[in-house]
Amino acid sequence: MSGYPRSPKILRGGLVLLDPDSGNVLRIIALQYNPETMTRSLQVKATGADSGGHSEALRLKGPAVETIKLDAEIDATDGLDSGQGTAGSLGLHPQLASIEALAHPASGELYAANAAAGAGMLEIAPAAAPLCLFVFGPNRIVPVRLTELGIVEEAFDTALNPIRAKLSLGLRVLSVDDLGFDGKGGGLFMSYLLAKEKLAGLAAAGDFQALGIAGVPVVP
């Protein structure tokens, strides 16, 4: 009797940080457990009612503003059982810090800005952050910006290191309106948009009969 087939490899979602100029990978943050649900919302960029002629009602000014919210869990138990990595001495601190770093400028950037202000520089450019990609399977690779981060630490070891936590991530998709067409981020968004158009073309087409009508009435 043949044995059971191997279980399929489950892909993990996560975040990839890139150098915005060279495209080099700076860090990969894989989610330990994929979220069970993910909430996405799209705010349409349509022309306003007061913008002019009636034909403007059918025009779109640009890509919709898409936001993504998801909850994920991380657990240091596996690392504690195997004795590998830093789980025994630091718990989940490294994993949490890698995600929290997305919400702060780098310390070097802050020191540099403070030094420039102390030298009398009037205009100081905001710190540049890495280009962040949200990856959730091969059909969803999109540039994003972290907009909110919630952390609930649920269990601790004897040194008060967190060993189990829940994360709530809020992400805003960055489109060509944010990144332009020339940069790597803009190109990645356009690939994301083109992939959606291709997938839409594969969807089964409906018909008027299913809608209970004979067709669209023609207005004389």
Side-chain angles (χ1 to χ4, degrees):
M1 178 182 291
S2 61
Y4 291 105
R6 292 183 178 179
S7 299
K9 182 179 180 180
I10 298 176
L11 300 180
R12 294 185 183 182
L15 302 171
V16 178
L17 305 184
L18 303 179
D19 183 286
D21 298 320
S22 67
N24 293 334
V25 176
L26 303 176
R27 180 185 291 272
I28 297 174
I29 304 172
L31 299 178
Q32 186 178 7
Y33 304 109
N34 287 327
E36 295 184 357
T37 62
M38 181 166 59
T39 302
R40 299 168 51 240
S41 64
L42 284 81
Q43 181 180 354
V44 179
K45 286 186 178 180
T47 53
D50 301 328
S51 59
H54 298 294
S55 63
E56 297 297 314
L58 303 178
R59 298 184 184 277
L60 299 175
K61 294 190 293 185
V65 177
E66 181 177 357
T67 55
I68 301 171
K69 292 187 177 182
L70 57 92
D71 296 326
E73 298 183 5
I74 54 176
D75 195 322
T77 303
D78 292 343
L80 291 171
D81 292 340
S82 64
Q84 297 178 350
T86 58
S89 59
L90 296 174
L92 292 175
H93 277 306
Q95 291 92 321
L96 294 175
S98 68
I99 298 175
E100 289 180 60
L102 301 177
H104 303 285
S107 58
E109 298 276 2
L110 294 176
Y111 280 124
N114 182 63
M121 186 176 295
L122 298 179
E123 293 187 9
I124 302 173
L131 175 63
C132 182
L133 304 182
F134 176 59
V135 180
F136 207 77
N139 293 316
R140 189 171 291 161
I141 302 173
V142 60
V144 296
R145 178 175 62 221
L146 180 71
T147 56
E148 57 182 292
L149 172 61
I151 302 172
V152 179
E153 299 177 0
E154 297 187 317
F156 305 87
D157 63 14
T158 56
L160 296 183
N161 296 310
I163 57 174
R164 189 170 68 244
K166 289 184 178 178
L167 305 175
S168 297
L169 297 175
L171 307 170
R172 181 186 182 278
V173 173
L174 299 177
S175 72
V176 289
D177 285 352
D178 305 297
L179 302 169
F181 280 89
D182 298 330
K184 295 187 180 299
L188 286 165
F189 173 80
M190 291 304 298
S191 296
Y192 173 67
L193 188 60
L194 289 166
K196 282 187 175 294
E197 293 173 353
K198 184 176 180 180
L199 290 170
L202 298 175
D207 55 40
F208 285 116
Q209 185 176 1
L211 302 179
I213 59 176
V216 177
V218 177
V219 179

